[in-house]
Amino acid sequence: MEQLEKQAAALLTSRKDHIVILGKQGEIVHANDNWIEYCCRNGLPESLWKCESNYLTALQERERQAEAENIERVRRGHEPEYVRLIPLQVSGETHWFSLQARPFPLANSETGVVLYKQPVDLAMDGYLGTREVLESMTDAFILIDGDLNFRYLNGAAEKLIQLNRTEVIGKNVWEVFPEAKDSVFHTNYRKLKMGQVDVQFDFYAQAFAKWFDVRAYRVANKGLAIYFRDASERKATEQLLEEKAYYDYLTGLPNRWKIEQTIQQLLQNGSRFSLFYINLNKLKFINDLHSHRTGDEVLKKVAERLKGIARSDNAISRFEGDEFLLVHEHGTGQGYRTFEAEVLQAFAEPFVLENAQCIQMGASIGIASYPDHARDVEELITCAGTAMAEAKKETTTSCSVFSPDMRFKLARRVKIEQDLAGDLGEAGIYHVLQPQIHGVTGELRGVEVLARWQHPEFGAISPTEFIQIAEETGTIARLTYYLIEDVFDSMKKRETAYKGRLRTAINITPTLLSSKPFFDEFFRLIEEYGILPELLEIEVTESMDFTYSSLAFGHLMECQAKGISIAIDDFGTGFSRLTTLIDFPVDKIKLDRFFVQKIGMDRKAEVVLESLIRFVKTLDCEILAEGVEHERERAFLNRMGCTIHQGYYYAKPMGICDFEKMYLGEKPTGSFG
């Protein structure tokens, strides 16, 4: 260890390069004074020079993904070194460095990377000093002067465009590549000429029958430095991925995203058309009775028959599992009626499978038309889906056309969406509290905040309904901010009135866990209201996939570091990788009510519950039982050592005034929690 430190110190002080040493995760372990001084002088972010900052992440944030990936390849031993001429944008100017990345030994036999950076001059007469670096690069590199004449090509460029540098040096770009003059290459050249610092684009060179990935930078004397590489393989892969992204793997039909593009194009063209929303009846029954292979074959046969009546390849889609969409453009003076008969006829005859087995497959079909029923893609699909639900009330193949009396369901959703985007207080959204009680002493140990909505028009709306709509429409963040502020305001008022502090649990939905803006605002509100972080608990749902993004994991770790407790809600029914909890930032486990309500009713469930309680205790976490409703449940849990309870046995969720009157009214000067 001491020897490695001496080696690093000697390296940092003995060379005149700018030097950065990275650890195994890309974090900066050492940086020499030359690099630190350069970064500070030019106002570069701390993440590029400060120890413990992640250098690779900083590169990615500055859209230098390829550089970060190549440095990581060196660290992993996939490449012996990485040599590159790199641009660095500083106050609207481009500074150039030669970069060499090589493996560097760290403590504990681990390997990091040392980066040697040397400032270089890319003026037209200065590039020769960097010839060794340019020739070492795997990327093709061209230097062009202000008159668009070739001044330099490295070996990689010669090989890629199959030209000898002696044949092109001094010649004009348009002379050598006349086809580029009216192409995307010329368009991007004009952007650079008008002052843009750099451009990146794909360019197809007809002469070579190749795609090139091109990145060009302005350099001194109005010249250009151009990197490029063969992108033909990537383009072929992108085409394959596009096919996978826009076409269903089983039937080969366009998928949901592709059909939505088709519909959008028809809307833009002002075409009159109808959308047929087709749901197959009892496909699950066929899967269960025969096999999923049989079910898949039925889907393919249905797709073939529907494709036979579709007016174009893009007019049909496998929308979801057992659902198809058909788009039918209306002819002059025509509507959907004729085509409706064709769709119904498609399901009149049995589907004959490869083994000669005949399957009679029915369908429920909903129809919505533009512009009669809807005027955008989402509304049109919703209307057709609503009509399909009406058709599904029939037991045989049937069609249902969207009508105004079906709009109440759609209108309800639209109204909820609008109100979620409006004044949430006026809309009737508020929070209630459910106490968390010590099952032996009866002591109040905390509360969980639950969202409620008493809508002025619809009355009570289930949290399941409005939270899901908020998630789907992107208003979940503002809804959560509103509830948090309401909760924090109540917490401060209780603290003043009762001279006590109470731990308060707040549910955070999955989509917000990876949102940096959300957590920035959350932490700001904590400071603004003067809330002690130790009084807050974030609940995340156990039935979620616990393979969170690194951002979500980082946010929860940051919360925990500030003193905010992390609780896993609904634990026991959805989580299959229990060992992950060892590394996950968890302070409390809330046992799912499914097991609690089996106490005294199902011995197997009791055994599982006992095992869960023992497991949680090994994690050194707090444990709470949800859904406690009976004395037998309370007694059993207490015997098992799970003594903090929440449920109707103690109290239902209640309004703030009722909660304070029941639990805090008798001790206004005491403390709780």
Side-chain angles (χ1 to χ4, degrees), residues 276-295:
F276 287 69
Y277 196 124
I278 303 169
N279 178 258
L280 304 184
N281 295 338
K282 299 181 180 179
L283 181 65
K284 184 180 185 302
F285 174 77
I286 291 175
N287 287 333
D288 294 341
L289 181 63
H290 301 283
S291 68
H292 283 274
R293 185 181 299 275
T294 301

Side-chain angles (χ1 to χ4, degrees), residues 16 90 129 186 193-194 197 225 297 301 316 357 366 383 396 411 413 431 452 513 533 537 555 570 596 615 625 627:
K16 295 182 179 180
V90 178
H186 187 264
K193 191 175 180 180
M194 295 175 66
V197 175
E297 192 175 351
K301 292 293 183 180
I316 180 174
Q357 182 180 11
C383 289
T396 58
R413 181 183 171 97
H431 77 273
R452 293 292 185 265
L513 289 177
E537 187 168 272
H555 291 148
D570 302 332
V596 173
F615 172 73

Side-chain angles (χ1 to χ4, degrees), residues 306-601:
L306 292 177
K307 190 174 181 179
I309 65 173
R311 299 299 189 255
S312 71
D313 290 342
N314 289 332
I316 180 174
S317 164
R318 184 185 177 197
F319 190 61
E320 288 181 353
D322 59 355
E323 296 176 343
F324 295 82
L325 291 186
L326 266 172
V327 176
H328 174 66
E329 290 190 70
H330 300 170
T332 304
Q334 295 180 345
Y336 57 82
R337 289 298 182 185
T338 301
F339 191 67
E340 177 186 352
E342 292 185 49
V343 176
L344 288 170
Q345 184 60 35
F347 292 93
E349 299 294 328
F351 293 88
V352 181
L353 307 186
E354 292 180 358
N355 60 0
Q357 182 180 11
C358 292
I359 299 288
Q360 186 69 54
M361 172 59 67
S364 301
I365 304 161
I367 306 172
S369 300
Y370 170 82
D372 300 334
H373 301 138
R375 294 181 176 272
D376 62 49
V377 175
E378 185 176 351
E379 185 183 6
L380 190 65
I381 293 174
T382 300
C383 289
T386 301
M388 181 274 292
E390 287 295 313
K392 211 157 186 65
K393 294 177 181 178
E394 302 293 330
T395 57
T396 58
T397 297
S398 61
C399 281
S400 178
V401 181
F402 184 81
S403 61
D405 64 348
M406 298 178 190
R407 284 192 178 274
F408 79 94
K409 294 179 181 178
L410 182 61
R412 174 186 173 93
R413 181 183 171 97
V414 170
K415 177 62 175 172
I416 290 174
E417 289 180 8
Q418 291 173 344
D419 289 347
L420 284 171
D423 188 314
L424 299 178
E426 287 187 3
I429 292 177
Y430 63 102
H431 77 273
V432 295
L433 304 173
Q434 187 169 28
Q436 297 170 344
I437 304 296
H438 194 289
V440 177
T441 67
E443 177 188 5
L444 177 66
R445 298 300 298 270
V447 291
E448 179 182 359
V449 172
L450 300 168
R452 293 292 185 265
W453 192 350
Q454 187 64 30
H455 194 277
E457 180 179 346
F458 304 134
I461 301 177
S462 164
T464 302
E465 180 181 5
F466 70 78
I467 289 175
Q468 180 178 346
I469 293 175
E471 290 264 25
E472 293 172 354
T473 58
T475 54
I476 188 64
R478 73 186 304 271
L479 171 62
T480 308
Y481 293 149
Y482 171 78
L483 289 168
I484 286 174
E485 287 201 71
D486 197 30
V487 170
F488 284 2
D489 182 63
S490 295
M491 288 176 68
K492 296 307 291 184
K493 288 178 179 176
R494 275 197 297 276
E495 185 176 327
T496 300
Y498 295 95
K499 310 302 179 185
R501 294 165 177 166
L502 186 64
R503 180 184 285 186
T504 302
I506 302 171
N507 288 275
I508 302 296
T509 60
T511 54
L512 295 179
L513 289 177
S514 296
S515 171
K516 185 178 185 301
F518 170 77
F519 278 95
D520 287 344
E521 179 65 8
F522 180 51
F523 296 144
R524 187 193 69 78
L525 290 173
I526 290 174
E527 292 186 9
E528 178 182 330
Y529 281 87
I531 303 296
L532 287 176
E534 293 80 5
L535 298 179
L536 295 176
E537 187 168 272
I538 287 179
E539 289 193 10
V540 294
T541 304
E542 190 270 337
S543 58
M544 293 168 49
D545 183 359
F546 260 46
T547 55
Y548 292 113
S549 68
S550 57
L551 280 175
F553 190 88
H555 291 148
L556 293 178
M557 291 292 288
E558 187 176 0
C559 287
Q560 199 176 57
K562 290 177 181 291
I564 300 170
S565 177
I566 307 298
I568 305 302
D569 197 12
D570 302 332
F571 182 81
T573 57
F575 194 43
S576 59
R577 296 178 298 281
L578 297 177
T579 53
T580 304
L581 285 175
I582 297 172
D583 299 318
F584 198 79
V586 178
D587 300 293
K588 178 187 286 186
I589 298 294
K590 299 185 71 176
L591 297 175
D592 188 82
R593 67 186 62 204
F594 171 82
F595 292 105
V596 173
Q597 293 174 349
K598 295 287 186 178
I599 293 173
M601 310 291 289

Side-chain angles (χ1 to χ4, degrees), residues 32-284:
N32 71 350
D33 292 341
N34 289 344
W35 178 244
I36 295 173
E37 181 183 347
Y38 172 83
C39 291
C40 293
R41 184 172 68 250
N42 290 284
L44 295 176
E46 292 183 350
S47 54
L48 288 175
W49 59 266
K50 191 172 183 179
C51 283
E52 298 185 4
S53 299
N54 195 292
Y55 186 86
L56 298 184
T57 300
L59 289 181
Q60 293 168 354
E61 291 173 349
R62 295 172 71 86
E63 299 183 357
R64 289 160 63 183
Q65 179 73 26
E67 183 180 338
E69 290 175 354
N70 280 291
I71 291 173
E72 177 62 11
R73 284 179 60 81
V74 172
R75 188 197 70 78
R76 292 179 177 273
H78 297 161
E79 299 289 346
E81 67 174 352
Y82 172 60
V83 180
R84 189 72 147 80
L85 196 64
I86 60 170
L88 193 62
Q89 303 303 325
V90 178
S91 302
E93 297 182 358
T94 304
H95 293 188
W96 289 87
F97 289 84
S98 63
L99 169 68
Q100 290 179 298
R102 296 175 180 169
F104 188 83
L106 302 172
N108 302 322
S109 300
E110 294 174 346
T111 302
V113 180
V114 58
L115 308 179
Y116 302 98
K117 301 183 180 187
Q118 181 67 43
V120 298
D121 179 12
L122 263 194
M124 290 302 107
D125 298 323
Y127 72 89
L128 293 175
T130 63
R131 184 187 294 269
E132 182 180 351
V133 173
L134 295 174
E135 294 299 330
S136 300
M137 295 191 312
T138 55
D139 285 352
F141 179 83
I142 294 176
L143 199 59
I144 297 173
D145 65 21
D147 296 321
L148 283 183
N149 297 319
F150 286 99
R151 294 300 302 272
Y152 177 78
L153 289 79
N154 70 355
E158 285 186 301
K159 183 177 180 180
L160 193 55
I161 61 177
Q162 301 173 4
L163 288 174
N164 190 298
R165 70 186 77 185
T166 59
E167 297 175 358
V168 296
I169 296 297
K171 291 185 178 180
N172 190 270
V173 170
W174 307 136
E175 178 186 350
V176 179
F177 299 114
E179 71 274 11
K181 195 162 188 177
D182 297 319
S183 70
V184 66
F185 188 96
H186 187 264
T187 302
N188 283 280
Y189 163 67
R190 292 182 62 187
K191 291 180 181 179
L192 290 170
K193 191 175 180 180
M194 295 175 66
Q196 198 161 324
V197 175
D198 62 42
V199 293
Q200 185 171 10
F201 57 95
D202 290 333
F203 171 61
Y204 183 73
Q206 187 69 42
F208 309 107
K210 289 181 179 179
W211 279 96
F212 292 114
D213 177 5
V214 183
R215 186 144 196 170
Y217 302 84
R218 288 190 303 158
V219 296
N221 303 326
K222 299 182 180 180
L224 302 178
I226 303 174
Y227 290 99
F228 61 103
R229 62 177 67 183
D230 189 344
S232 301
E233 185 176 344
R234 173 174 65 81
K235 280 291 185 178
T237 301
E238 286 178 356
Q239 183 177 355
L240 180 61
L241 290 175
E242 181 177 0
E243 291 177 0
K244 290 183 177 179
Y246 288 103
Y247 292 87
D248 175 53
Y249 74 97
L250 180 65
T251 63
L253 295 178
N255 62 14
R256 175 176 188 159
W257 291 272
K258 188 70 174 177
I259 197 71
E260 287 181 353
Q261 289 181 355
T262 299
I263 296 171
Q264 186 61 47
Q265 188 61 54
L266 290 173
L267 293 173
Q268 291 174 357
N269 295 340
S271 305
R272 296 181 66 88
F273 65 95
S274 293
L275 180 66
F276 287 69
Y277 196 124
I278 303 169
N279 178 258
L280 304 184
N281 295 338
K282 299 181 180 179
L283 181 65
K284 184 180 185 302

